Amino acid sequence: MGAVESTEIEREPLLVPSQPAINTQPGFSRVYGRRWVVLTMFSLLGFMQGLVWNTWGPIQISAKHVFEFSSTDIAVLVMWGPVGYLPWLLFMWLMDKKGLRASLLLSAFFMLLGAVLRSVPLKDLHYRRWMIHGGQLLNGLAGPTIMSAGPLLSTTWFAPDQRATATAIASLIGYLGSACAFLIGPLAVPAPNGTMGSTIYWNQNHIGDRIQFVLYAEVGMIAALFLAVQLYFPSRPPIPPSVAAASQRLSYRSSICRLLSNMRFLMIALAYSVPTGVAAGWAGVLDMILTPAKVSQVDAGWIGFWSIVGGCVFGVAMARFADYIRGMLKLILVLMFAGASLAATWFTLTCLTRITHLPSTQATLYTSCILVGIFINSSVPIFLELFIETVYPVPEGITCGVVTFLSNLFTGLLLFCLTFYFTAALTQGDDGRRVRSSAFH
């Protein structure tokens, strides 16, 4: 049979799209140089929030001497940080609906008001203690935005090959503020006479003046940052830096439901929140924990400082490494937690020297504490990147708000238990003194 030429109708495709494909992605993206200014301003606010939160733990001996704080008061002052995280849903809603600028301005205002309350020089110690507690609570209310918005800022302003690095800087700079509190407090505020680390006689008025100077300095720095955010801090660039920054995200309610029903996300969130939350609360009262081990206020400050600084430096380096190797986040986290477990075991066995008979020296305490801080704190930016990849297209601010709330929940539980421990120890000590006094008489 001969070949018959096909007609034009027969050459038409059988499957014809109902409508032409529409490219919903932006035509081009752009990265602005001002992104580093935005990141710097946000990071400095995070630095000051961490510095104010950790003001009293490193100088707890001096604070007890001047303001008549108890060990329970010091633990509660640190606990106001996690307590301030309770209205986190409101701050996440504000960030999602109004943008990063509005939520950051509100957080900066809380920080400024709290710093002012703490620095009011009242003579009545009862009211002064209440003002300090109120200031710490207001500073804690800035935590939901400061601790959660780093990944949102990095996705909004930075290209994909810089995102993990920007997330690490924004999320770890608050830890660096806490570390500097370990350094600034003991160096600026002398320990009372007759305590470890004090070789010169300092009267109460001089110690109080030095504490007041630190509080005034923090007010000035926070006021300058609040003014800077008011003058310039855009929520987003005119043109997004990547496709991910311009893509449509889930609504606030849908995001919360998606997160709470995602078992893989909840398991990763638990693995993140327990060690980081416990480590944060432990660092906040590190001076009180190390005091029975005959560690001075200054030495405890240096231990806390280097443990957090090491974690920040190592965390930024690992985040930069993760920018190039995106498929190894889980392996990196497993190795970090293995190192943290070994270091924590070493520290525990060293403190139980009466049972283990291991040598308890300044070098072993320094090394074990610093290694715990390095391995746990450096895991934070890697975890945040893993969360974002796991639950996309949930907005970054909401995702990190949930996991940082869980981390602060475990911080608060630890400090709550320590509060009862210090109260019971104090009661037992008073009972013992009464018994000895009765026997003497």
Side-chain angles (χ1 to χ4, degrees), residues 257-304:
C257 295
R258 173 76 68 87
L259 293 177
L260 297 181
S261 61
N262 190 331
M263 288 303 300
R264 183 168 183 264
F265 165 77
L266 293 177
M267 293 298 293
I268 302 174
L270 187 65
Y272 163 82
S273 57
V274 174
T276 57
V278 171
W282 180 69
V285 291
L286 184 62
D287 187 18
M288 288 192 293
I289 293 174
L290 295 179
T291 297
K294 308 299 181 183
V295 178
S296 69
Q297 181 171 280
V298 175
D299 287 334
W302 280 110
I303 292 174

Side-chain angles (χ1 to χ4, degrees), residues 379-430:
S379 69
V380 172
I382 308 298
F383 263 116
L384 296 182
E385 282 298 307
L386 186 61
F387 287 131
I388 294 171
E389 293 181 359
T390 301
V391 298
Y392 182 86
V394 176
E396 292 84 356
I398 297 177
T399 302
C400 297
V402 172
V403 297
T404 50
F405 166 74
L406 293 175
S407 177
N408 278 268
L409 177 64
F410 284 100
T411 302
L413 290 176
L414 173 67
L415 294 171
F416 185 73
C417 294
L418 288 177
T419 300
F420 276 100
Y421 171 78
F422 292 133
T423 302
L426 181 62
T427 304
Q428 185 177 1
D430 291 340

Side-chain angles (χ1 to χ4, degrees), residues 104-151:
L104 197 64
L105 271 174
L106 180 61
S107 298
F109 174 74
F110 282 143
M111 289 173 57
L112 179 59
L113 182 59
V116 170
L117 283 180
R118 298 189 322 155
S119 62
V120 176
L122 296 178
K123 298 297 183 182
D124 191 323
L125 292 181
H126 176 74
Y127 292 107
R128 182 68 193 275
R129 288 193 295 268
W130 276 104
M131 296 284 279
I132 292 173
H133 279 283
Q136 291 296 122
L137 175 60
L138 287 172
N139 183 75
L141 289 174
T145 300
I146 297 295
M147 297 179 65
S148 305

Side-chain angles (χ1 to χ4, degrees), residues 326-350:
R326 306 294 300 178
M328 298 182 63
L329 298 182
K330 180 179 179 180
L331 177 61
I332 294 172
L333 290 174
V334 170
L335 293 176
M336 286 181 177
F337 273 25
S341 300
L342 293 175
T345 303
W346 183 18
F347 173 78
T348 303
L349 295 177
T350 302

Side-chain angles (χ1 to χ4, degrees), residues 27-164:
F28 61 96
S29 59
R30 180 180 176 183
V31 178
Y32 292 84
R34 73 189 77 167
R35 69 190 186 279
W36 297 109
V37 177
V38 174
L39 178 62
T40 300
M41 294 170 62
F42 179 85
S43 300
L44 289 176
L45 275 175
F47 178 89
M48 290 306 303
Q49 204 267 344
L51 181 68
V52 171
W53 170 74
N54 198 29
T55 297
W56 303 103
I59 58 170
Q60 54 100 12
I61 298 176
S62 303
K64 291 176 181 178
H65 187 72
V66 174
F67 300 111
E68 299 179 3
F69 282 131
S70 64
S71 296
T72 301
D73 289 323
I74 300 297
V76 171
L77 286 171
V78 179
M79 190 171 64
W80 287 127
V83 170
Y85 224 93
L86 291 178
W88 64 279
L89 284 172
L90 175 63
F91 287 96
M92 296 306 101
W93 175 87
L94 181 65
M95 192 186 308
D96 185 61
K97 298 297 183 182
K98 302 299 181 181
L100 186 56
R101 173 179 170 82
S103 56
L104 197 64
L105 271 174
L106 180 61
S107 298
F109 174 74
F110 282 143
M111 289 173 57
L112 179 59
L113 182 59
V116 170
L117 283 180
R118 298 189 322 155
S119 62
V120 176
L122 296 178
K123 298 297 183 182
D124 191 323
L125 292 181
H126 176 74
Y127 292 107
R128 182 68 193 275
R129 288 193 295 268
W130 276 104
M131 296 284 279
I132 292 173
H133 279 283
Q136 291 296 122
L137 175 60
L138 287 172
N139 183 75
L141 289 174
T145 300
I146 297 295
M147 297 179 65
S148 305
L152 173 62
L153 185 146
S154 64
T155 303
T156 304
W157 285 92
F158 286 83
D161 61 343
Q162 297 177 339
R163 193 180 68 190

